[in-house]
Amino acid sequence: MNGITRRRFFENCGIGLGRIALGSLVAGGSARSLLAGGRTRPPHFRPKAKRVVYLFMAGGPSQLDLFDNKPELIERDGQAIPKSVVGDQRYAFINPTSKMLAPQYRFRRHGESGAEISEVLPHLAGIADRIAIVKSMTTDQFNHAPAQILMNTGFPQPGRPSMGSWASYGLGCEADDLPAFVVLSTGGGPSGGTALWHHGFLPGRHQGVVLRSRGDAILDLGNPPGVDDRLQRDSLDLVSELNTGHFARVGDPEIQTRIAAYEMAYRMQERGPELMDLSGESPATLQLYGVDPDKPSFARNCLLARRLLERGVRFVQLYHKGWDHHSAVKQGLKTQCGITDRAAAALVTDLQDRGLLDDTLVIWGGEFGRTPMVENSPTLGRKLGRDHHPQAFTVWLAGAGIKPGITIGATDELGFHVVEDPVHVHDLQATILYLLGFDHERLTFRFQGRDFRLTDVHGKVVRKLLA
Amino acid sequence: MPAQAIRILSFVLAAASLLLAPSCLIGSETKRRTRGQYIDVATFNSIQPGATQDEVFERFGEPTTRTKRDDTELWKYYYTEATTKRDRARRGRDRRVRQGHARAPDLAPVTAMLARAAIAAVLLAGVGPHDDHWALTAPHRPAVPEVTAKDWPKNPIDHFVLARLEKLGLRPEPEAPRAILARRLYLDVLGLVPTVEELDRFLADERPDAYERLVDELLASKHYGERQARLWLDLARYADTNGFEKDRPRSMWPYRDWVINAFNADMPFDEFTIKQIAGDMLESPTLDDRIATGFHRNTMINEEGGIDVEEYRWHAVVDRVNTTSTVWLGLTMACAQCHDHKYDPLTQADYWRMFAFFNNADEPEIPVPDPKITARRKPLLAEIARREARLADEFPVPDNIEWRPVSIVGAQAHNGTTLQERGDGVVEASGELPARDVYTIRATTDVERVTAIRLEALAAGGRGPGRTPHGNFVVTEIGLSKGTTKLALRHARADFSQTGFPVANAIDGRPGTGWAIDGAVRHHDRRAVFELAEPVAVRAGEQLVFSIAQTYGGQHTLGRFRLSVGTARQSGAKLEDARRAHLEAKLEAWIANTRAKARHWTALAPTRVVSENGATMTVQGDRSVLVSGDWPQTDTYVFEAATDMPKVTGLRLEALPDASLPEGGPGRAPLFKPGDFLLGEIEIEAGATRVEIGKGTQDYAHSGRPASLAFDGVLETGWSIEGRTGEPHQAVFAFTRPVVGPTKLRIVMRQHGIHQMTLGRFRISLTGDADPIACGVPADVEAILLDDHRSDAERARLREQFLAVAPELADARRAIVELRKRLPKYPTTLVMKERKPEHDRTTHLYKRGEYTRPAQAVSAALPGVLGTLPSGPRNRLALSRWLVSDDNPLVGRVVVNRMWHSVFGRGLVKTVADFGTRGSPPSHPELLDWLATEFPREGWSFKRMLRLIVTSATYRQASSASPDKWRRDPDNEWLARGPRFRVDAEVLRDLCLTASGLLNRKVGGPSVFPPQPDGVTSLSYGAMKWRTSTGPDRYRRGLYTFQKRTSPYAAFATFDAPSGENCVARRARSNSPLQALTMLNDTVFTEAARALARWTLARAGTRDADRVRFAFRSCISREPTADESSALLAFVRRQRERFERGELDAKRLAGATSDGNAVEIAAWMALSRVLLNLDETVTKG
């Protein structure tokens, strides 16, 4: 392959080369010289994290019942929230004059770090010393779709590249047979839809590839009915042969890229079933996550996420919808924590046991928090819930480059406003990019005359979080 | 020196100082960062002061790839980080010099080089002062340059291209082989590939102008408009859903059809522009003109609960400004939303002045009448009118009939049900339980003259009367014969009918409709009576045959029933007299009853009526207030009026229907509960005193939402009329103490539901009568009731109202309601509608571009650098006219450049959406200007411009080239070869369908749902079900595929099709393994491969070699080479053997309908898959 071909190839494939023997694809081409260009863009710093798994809790989990313990709310349960606190904040459903609601669960301190975690998250409490809790997240958006899109793309309207797409654009892929950016989802589709893992104006290869729980693991991964492996291989050989001949006549390096893309597609086909086959996982591991290998579930997705990360995937976005507790927040949290707590903690433990946590960043959190005020609406049939709350919410992080066993940030005594170390969505994004080795102000893409970046025109790295 | 040049100079100085101070001064990181981004030192040296721009171009080759990064970013870098490092390095060097370890550098040559560098940089950047930027000055028409190779050019385009090639020492490629050229032309003009027949026809045409003839033929094809429309729809951000969380479907395809038709009619681009931007503002706009304004209705709509709707309207207007700028100006106006544009002469004020043009429109959805649908509505409307006119004739005659059960002679069911006679006219069904059945019951009677029959459905012991577990049944049709004579039935009535299943359905002659009885009470006896059109005489022993059909399905057959016959005490004319008398008596009673509740009301004309959240309030002639325009999530209406009534005891709020409202109103709720509203609180002040409301009554309220909740002090609860939309309603609020007049009244109506549940039309009236209550009839009727001297018209009105509510006619009316529901609806489309000047919105400049931070007000104007509008109103229409006027220097260049981009895969200006100073300068500036001036000279005709381009020698070149040429010009900037690139997603689909003969060539209409893998749409909110189209709609062109924004059609997304969330002027063109998976394994392409196999077998004779040739040409158009043929032949034979040996199941591949030919189909299908996956197939070459 000549220089142009090589450059284009790496710009175009969306899949890293890894161990593939490309020498066989293009007569006279040197596999080694191709491998030399395996990265799309050199990082700005030495990366702490090679890969990321983001457990996105769509709907907005209630920080006040999970992490941000406010005894004052017990005292003032049932009283109207002071106007001086609320200001002119707009709410989705409730009146700004609503009454306050006490925490629905008890809190205890855990581990040597003494992190405060609610009783409804017992498994997370067990790994309290391995995670860093941020109680001072804030966002600008108080509706699901815009807030989720902001959290995932740095902008509240759809159309910008998502975090995983930026990671793919910045780092390329380590795997030779899997995409750089993979998406899993349970609990129904998140409000933001595919905008959450869309490539935006970045080339299409940076789009998050959805790992499906029904049908082919990746869209069109399986051969059509009646086509066996040999026929597929035969067909690809002929395609390759004819394309190579055509390249000799025409000279367009794009043809070589296509030949390579077809070969990679074939490897993905080979690899896919192995990835999804959990029979090699030990009973202990299955037990740790609480996975039934045959049933799609959040826990199964967590385990699949680990397998993806092990196989060189850069960015795994794992969505779980179900946290929008406008009514009966207590019962809702019990249900959702029951589904997610054990597996999320297991993922951190499992990564650590396998030596992967050192260079894997784990993030857990939603798009906004929930109000200290109660939501009761006879018209909508709602009782003892909490409304959307953009001013303050909680996320936790673990792994690569994150200082374990710390809690940063604080809210006021009613849990309404952040009063210490505010971390805006863009700050979190800047920090994630930093851990991946990028200066968020310099990882840019020119589109319609302007250099765009994940953090728009904002964001600063949260130094306190770094180890 | 212009400011811009100074900026560039200082920037270059800084950059060059780094370049010129290599390893000794600055760390290796700096070197790495700057490498490749700037011109190297030797190149600087080669430029002499006084060099012309052309010389600089020649020396440096490609001037556009120079600056890849944002200069402010670099600027910041040089003056912060790098300066520190440089200073540190310098200090180190100085120290070493002092210590005698190093020599002081000689800086003289560096200074000289810097000067040259600065000159070069300025020349290269081509940047003068702002308004000198090339794109902002009107294009002048350059002379067509002379060339050496005089026989090569075919039209002026070629002169410009060749002149540059000759300067660069490049030679054009020879003309592409005819078959390849034809394929290229088909793809560019139609977005399809030629069939083998079309190809052969062209190849056989030996006339010298055969190619030009083909061009003209294709430009006249109806498929031309489809291809061009798809390109335009990328800019228009067309989609079939609203976007954001709910992402519900919208009806927008009439706009898409409009675009297709406009291209096919070659509508001049100026007209095309004006209609899309401001068609609604033209003098007496046609329906088509209004549909065209859908261009700017393709913005997204957020329907999530709890949002501020105005905020998202505002976002949509932002999108309109940005899109207009991209499409007609090629400027990145979006940058100026938050601050002055950093590079182009656009200020933040300019931005918001542009915003003002688009800020005065309402955003309605209008029906698009379709003659075909009108024709289908006509008979139904006639039937409705007939039934309405006959309502009075349906009025029952009470206690008029004497009933006698029949004596059953025999009962049979046709589908296996066992029927047994139980005496007293009762029949009971048992045994088998078929989905459908028809009972035939023969019976005698001693009634001599039968005028009516009765069917009693009998329940027993908590079961029945139907045989379903829930007891329901359906009688789709009941019939009666005497011997062989069929007896007509009329006037059906029942003691109860299920909604949607009125008893009249049992004698309407339609097998799909019937009488059923599901409701609150189950397992209950029900009876239906049917009168005979003509009384019939029955002799002793003569048999009556009853037929009770249940063709509805779902085992809804009757279980136990009794049949009776009866004789009316009166008949004929007498009977009709009795019917009329009965009606009149009931009518009088109703009048008397209702009159007792009627009060004297005086409608109030407001002195002021406003919506707090910006809806438009229009007071109509009848003093009702119609709400339109903005559609806020929640709202508070304030209504002020004066009254001189001496005493006011109560207030009536009428909620009135209107055709402009969803479901006819009276509410404005557009979704979930269309047409409903929720009045949370009503507050009344007289003078400065709050009026206390004592009692609330209403004609109708949804369960649990009575009017009394509208003054309970709880905002969340209130009055709503869900379930009875499209009708007038009223609530009456009685005051605890009368208000003594004259006085001023202020009435505040708070409406805080979610999903825009506000009132759409209302009227407020006052009464001084005692005990104000809701009378339950419309206001005009209430007034008539109080009037003792009624005119004929007034009496008729009362009668009409009575017929509309009389319980005796419930069934007859229900049948009419059912008919109305069946009326086919016209499709709708979203349009813009300019508000009246008195409802103009005030536009603000928004600090940092944030919705929550409005600052000073601004009015509509062009960006200063582009001049001013001619005198006259400054509105959307004026803007649209300016966009396509001579005063806009950009439009011609921007539009022809996009056209060039679509054909050559690269614009003359590479940055098709950015003609600002940060965009790429044109590769062929004179050619661009020549084309830009040619476009209006050719009457803004797209077809003529495309013809010009595709008939040029430049276009007709072969796309193959030597490795050296590919290396030298990978993007084909200099056009020394023909275009070659992978086709767009939709074209890929279309060409596979054409090649395989599957394509359905129907043009226009609603979107369709071709197959895609299961579960693609389930990942988005609400998990929309993808109802895969069957029949010919499976194989429509790609542009008709339903475009769901939050989960786009998978195969298209993989091939870089846009999602419709942004205006896209240039699609990415990636080449990925996921694309390979799609082409190899996706259903669409598998079906295409199967079809191509069948198509080949059917059309290409019996020899394998001929078949290979046919299939190959179907995909790629050219002839296969000998090597290709033999490789393909060997492949098909190898696969055939495998299928014959049974190694592979041919039937699975070939499909169920392969009728004994499975092996052949499967073998050729395997071959077809290979062909469809070839690079040459997916590429325009």
Side-chain angles (χ1 to χ4, degrees), chain B residues 464-483:
Chain B
R467 297 191 73 197
T468 57
H470 41 83
N472 200 6
F473 63 84
V474 180
V475 173
T476 46
E477 211 62 32
I478 186 162
L480 179 67
S481 323
K482 190 181 79 167

Side-chain angles (χ1 to χ4, degrees), chain A residues 142 154 159 164 294 391 405:
Chain A
F142 65 99
D294 299 326
Q391 281 86 351

